[in-house]
Amino acid sequence: PAAEEIGGCDAIIFDADQDPARLGQQLLTWAEENPVHRLRRRVRQYYSWDSIFQRDIKPLLDGGS
């Protein structure tokens, strides 16, 4: 009840005895349908230090190649 009260529609409530594959599918569906999650994932992928280095800095160090 506390998770439902605090999380509202943003909480995924599941039974501990639920089939793990079904739960995994529920979580994947939520992640793909949730615009905030999609934006957060895109920002983490595009703006990580490794991504910035590979995309913007390394070509400069490699002489533009």
Side-chain angles (χ1 to χ4, degrees), residues 4 7 33 42:
E4 290 175 353
E33 292 176 355
R42 190 174 333 131

Side-chain angles (χ1 to χ4, degrees), residues 6-48:
I6 294 169
C9 65
D10 296 321
I12 297 175
I13 308 298
F14 62 93
D15 185 344
D17 296 327
Q18 183 174 341
D19 174 44
R22 184 167 180 256
L23 176 59
Q25 186 58 51
Q26 280 182 294
L27 291 170
L28 288 173
T29 299
W30 172 84
E32 291 302 318
E33 292 176 355
N34 184 291
V36 173
H37 179 76
R38 287 194 318 260
L39 176 60
R40 193 174 289 151
R41 182 178 58 210
R42 190 174 333 131
V43 167
R44 279 194 310 257
Q45 289 172 347
Y46 193 76
Y47 293 106
S48 71

